[in-house]
Amino acid sequence: MNVNVTRDRLPTVIVFAVLLAIPLVFFDPSTTYISRRFIRVMIFAILAMALNIIFGETDQLILFMGGIAAVGAYTTALTADALGISPWLTLFLGALFAGVFGALVCYVAARRQFTVIVLAIVTFASQMIISELLVGLRDITRGSTGFPFSGLQLPAIEQATGLGSYAIQFYVLVAIFAGVLGLYTWLRRSKYGLAFAAIRQDEFAARATGVDVIKLKVFAGFIATFVIGLVGPFYGQTTGIIIPSLYSFNSIDVLVLIVLVLGGLRSRYGPLVGAAVIIYIDNILGNFGQWRTVAFGLLLTILFLYFRDGIVPSATELLAERTPLGSVLDRGKAE
């Protein structure tokens, strides 16, 4: 095997070896608190990876990730309940519905040539509309009180492997993260990556050279919102209930934006590192009571001051300069 290929795959092997070992080392059947924290890290890592595809690659800043996740969650749960089948069978239906909705918004934005700010405002308004609809359609969605949800369990696998339900859920999310990471890596290294770079640098010049900007933006928007809609039900599964407030702007969009920027925009592993840091900080600040928000803001300010380009790119550059790992890490600073 080519030495360079081996070096490229080394970070991936290390990352997934650590992820696969986490349930075996840290998950305790007697307490679910730690398990929920790790599952939350994986959920926000996947959401940030999806935002990387649409915002990092094509400069489309969407602020309705919570709404899209809710669309996926409610479609999955309500359809399964209406048909009397397992939510596993409707999971991709919810993701597809979310993806089509996201692609439609991106199509309108691309056709009308919305700027980043205008698209952010439009999608933020969509987030408010979705939230109000979920509360207002109480005969269907059960309004602001929501409904219990625990349909995404795999008891047969739990019994066969001896692992708990949270460990199985964590491994399912690791598999989704691996799939999204593989898709993102392929996009960046294919002709789509070149086209995305052209759109980021100068959209009008890209149009002039024959790049189908509308098609590519809709394509990126569909992939990102499909992934967000796919993860939405797992977020509800973690809390045991699906309610509109769970998918609000403050609950999801703000954290995902921080995770992505802190981890490193257009970084392959930045979303995972950023999610781990933010969820850890959010966890240890739980004892600060009313000062939690202030302490959280101050810590984030410090992190952004010293890791302005993101933790992963900054750490990679530092290691490449000062350690023998540089020969490996310098091959892809953005990774």
Side-chain angles (χ1 to χ4, degrees), residues 114-196:
F114 287 174
T115 63
V116 174
I117 300 299
V118 173
L119 178 59
I121 294 172
V122 169
T123 52
F124 181 73
S126 299
Q127 167 87 25
M128 300 297 106
I129 293 171
I130 292 171
S131 181
E132 291 300 321
L133 282 174
L134 292 176
V135 175
L137 297 173
R138 60 184 69 256
D139 291 340
I140 301 174
T141 63
R142 302 184 194 176
S144 58
T145 58
F147 52 86
F149 180 71
S150 59
L152 295 177
Q153 293 183 335
L154 295 167
I157 294 181
E158 292 173 26
Q159 188 172 10
T161 61
L163 297 172
S165 61
Y166 286 102
I168 297 297
Q169 187 178 354
F170 182 84
Y171 283 134
V172 170
L173 290 169
V174 169
I176 294 175
F177 177 77
V180 178
L181 177 66
L183 176 62
Y184 181 55
T185 303
W186 173 77
L187 284 173
R188 288 183 55 183
R189 295 175 178 175
S190 68
K191 62 180 182 181
Y192 293 104
L194 294 175
F196 289 158

Side-chain angles (χ1 to χ4, degrees), residues 39-291:
I39 289 173
R40 199 156 182 250
V41 168
M42 291 308 304
I43 288 174
F44 276 90
I46 296 170
L47 292 174
M49 184 67 78
L51 185 61
N52 225 355
I53 294 173
I54 186 171
F55 177 49
E57 295 297 328
T58 63
D59 271 353
Q60 297 181 96
L61 179 57
I62 57 172
L63 296 181
F64 65 166
M65 286 174 282
I68 291 293
V71 168
Y74 276 86
T75 303
T76 298
L78 294 176
T79 306
D81 184 59
L83 299 178
I85 58 178
S86 168
W88 286 107
L89 299 176
T90 57
L91 183 63
F92 283 92
L93 177 64
L96 182 62
F97 192 53
V100 170
F101 180 71
L104 181 62
V105 172
C106 290
Y107 174 76
V108 174
R111 288 283 296 179
R112 304 282 295 181
Q113 299 186 12
F114 287 174
T115 63
V116 174
I117 300 299
V118 173
L119 178 59
I121 294 172
V122 169
T123 52
F124 181 73
S126 299
Q127 167 87 25
M128 300 297 106
I129 293 171
I130 292 171
S131 181
E132 291 300 321
L133 282 174
L134 292 176
V135 175
L137 297 173
R138 60 184 69 256
D139 291 340
I140 301 174
T141 63
R142 302 184 194 176
S144 58
T145 58
F147 52 86
F149 180 71
S150 59
L152 295 177
Q153 293 183 335
L154 295 167
I157 294 181
E158 292 173 26
Q159 188 172 10
T161 61
L163 297 172
S165 61
Y166 286 102
I168 297 297
Q169 187 178 354
F170 182 84
Y171 283 134
V172 170
L173 290 169
V174 169
I176 294 175
F177 177 77
V180 178
L181 177 66
L183 176 62
Y184 181 55
T185 303
W186 173 77
L187 284 173
R188 288 183 55 183
R189 295 175 178 175
S190 68
K191 62 180 182 181
Y192 293 104
L194 294 175
F196 289 158
I199 293 173
R200 283 198 313 275
Q201 292 170 9
D202 192 331
E203 183 175 323
F204 293 102
R207 291 178 191 270
T209 56
V211 175
D212 192 338
V213 174
I214 295 177
K215 179 181 177 180
L216 288 169
K217 283 191 171 184
V218 172
F219 177 58
F222 174 78
I223 292 175
T225 50
F226 180 92
V227 171
I228 295 170
L230 184 67
V231 175
F234 289 98
Y235 194 43
Q237 171 92 5
T238 303
T239 60
I241 187 171
I242 292 179
I243 52 176
S245 61
L246 185 67
Y247 301 95
S248 67
F249 177 79
N250 290 334
S251 299
I252 290 186
D253 293 72
V254 173
L255 282 180
V256 175
L257 278 170
I258 293 172
V259 164
L260 182 59
V261 174
L262 188 62
L265 196 63
R266 292 192 294 279
S267 165
R268 290 178 62 208
Y269 296 107
L272 183 61
V273 175
V277 171
I278 293 302
I279 299 301
Y280 178 73
I281 291 175
D282 190 41
N283 184 41
I284 62 175
L285 292 180
N287 297 325
F288 280 63
Q290 62 179 345
W291 295 102

